[in-house]
Amino acid sequence: MYHHVKKMMYTVHVGAPDPRFGNMLLEQFGGANGELAAAMQYSIQGFNCEDVARKDLLMDIGTEELSHLEIVGALIRMHLRPMKTERLAAEADPLIAIAGGGGVGLVNSVGDAWTADYLKITGDLAVDLRSNIAAEARAKIVYERLISFTDDQGTKQALQFLMTREITHMRAFTAALESMEKPPFSIGTIAPTPGLVDQYVNASTGEGDEGDADRVGPWNKGSGLHIVGVGGKEGEILNTAPYDPKPGSETTSRVDSTPVGDRKMMQAEKVKKVA
């Protein structure tokens, strides 16, 4: 059950309306990294979640994102208000002024309609939590950029509040993921091919016009990874030998989402491992 309280989570004050900035703010209302996308993503993940504890987390944050949507909507409405009566302001975005009456719409900053394609929902709790951490990081960056493009103090303060909550949510999602006690690179229920999973392909070779050259770092020679070539190169090459998938072989968590696939085969593999 949802219950709307006629008091915003954060009280918004705008000194001087700026219709062009109001248009920019629409990115966080109806954009790919906006509050509506976050609210829908976390809530639907919550509807699907079999683990009651982490479902509570998803529903808490999904509902808070709706409160953030209300804050962003209030900011936009205040900044767009001149569009309702002033020709010059209306020219900042005729679509909003004429078709939308100078109000908030489910579009992003260039007028593209909001779409459920923005949502990242897999039904695997660990994967979804990782998506959520990334979503909060992207939203944080968008708020930083918006802050840099306004001089209105009240607007900056409201955006600072919203930006800060993104970090809070990142921390909560990260803690929830870590509490599942699932190895960080253990995804789903089928383990990757041994050996192959440790091979990093040096597929960008030679020297570029601007001094680009092959580099070595922890991303390709460390953390269990090592560099290999591709067919025809000297030294070790990528292992392409066929390897049969082994359902039920990946390290799982007691709170993993219900696996999808051939349950009988997975169970047989588990019995074989125990034997």
Side-chain angles (χ1 to χ4, degrees):
M1 178 177 72
Y2 286 88
H3 177 203
H4 179 256
V5 178
K6 298 179 185 65
K7 181 177 176 61
M8 288 197 294
M9 190 175 196
Y10 180 93
T11 303
V12 176
H13 299 286
V14 170
D18 181 347
R20 291 187 179 276
F21 186 71
N23 182 283
M24 292 182 186
L25 284 168
L26 282 167
E27 196 60 40
Q28 280 303 89
F29 195 85
N33 302 305
E35 301 295 352
L36 179 63
M40 292 297 97
Q41 178 164 309
Y42 308 156
S43 296
I44 295 172
Q45 288 173 358
F47 298 159
N48 291 331
C49 188
E50 302 289 347
D51 174 58
V52 292
R54 287 159 191 81
K55 177 175 184 175
D56 188 56
L57 161 75
L58 291 165
M59 297 308 295
D60 280 342
I61 298 182
T63 303
E64 183 179 339
E65 300 291 8
L66 288 173
S67 298
H68 294 179
L69 184 72
E70 186 178 28
I71 295 169
V72 175
L75 275 172
I76 295 170
R77 177 176 56 80
M78 293 177 185
H79 278 288
L80 294 184
R81 188 171 287 147
M83 281 189 176
K84 295 178 180 292
T85 56
E86 300 173 19
R87 164 68 184 270
L88 189 61
E91 289 177 352
D93 194 316
L95 178 65
I96 293 174
I98 306 304
V104 178
L106 272 181
V107 295
N108 64 11
S109 56
V110 295
D112 293 332
W114 186 89
T115 170
D117 289 342
Y118 294 150
L119 309 186
K120 309 302 179 190
I121 301 165
T122 69
D124 184 296
L125 183 55
V127 174
D128 284 346
L129 287 171
R130 288 185 175 94
S131 293
N132 297 352
I133 293 165
E136 295 292 328
R138 289 192 296 269
K140 201 267 188 183
I141 291 298
V142 174
Y143 278 125
E144 280 193 7
R145 291 169 181 167
L146 286 168
I147 287 170
S148 72
F149 285 122
T150 181
D151 296 321
D152 183 75
Q153 192 66 15
T155 299
K156 281 181 178 287
Q157 291 169 348
L159 295 176
Q160 173 72 21
F161 170 83
L162 293 165
M163 184 197 75
T164 300
R165 295 305 297 163
E166 307 297 343
I167 299 302
T168 305
H169 295 169
M170 281 184 69
R171 291 170 62 185
F173 286 137
T174 300
L177 178 62
E178 291 174 350
S179 71
M180 291 175 65
E181 299 179 351
K182 185 178 175 78
F185 303 113
S186 174
I187 309 297
T189 61
I190 301 177
T193 304
L196 175 63
V197 72
D198 301 322
Q199 293 183 318
Y200 180 98
V201 177
N202 182 26
S204 176
T205 59
E207 294 187 5
D209 295 337
E210 298 180 3
D212 301 346
D214 289 358
R215 302 291 182 182
V216 174
W219 55 89
N220 59 16
K221 194 172 183 180
S223 304
L225 300 176
H226 62 277
I227 302 171
V228 300
V230 292
K233 301 274 184 178
E234 292 183 1
E236 184 184 357
I237 62 173
L238 186 68
N239 174 23
T240 59
Y243 184 84
D244 292 332
K246 295 180 171 36
S249 57
E250 185 56 280
T251 304
T252 57
S253 161
R254 58 186 173 80
V255 293
D256 275 338
S257 299
T258 303
V260 176
D262 189 333
R263 292 177 177 277
K264 289 182 180 178
M265 186 184 294
M266 289 185 202
Q267 189 60 39
E269 289 292 339
K270 286 181 180 177
V271 170
K272 241 195 293 184
K273 282 172 68 177
V274 171

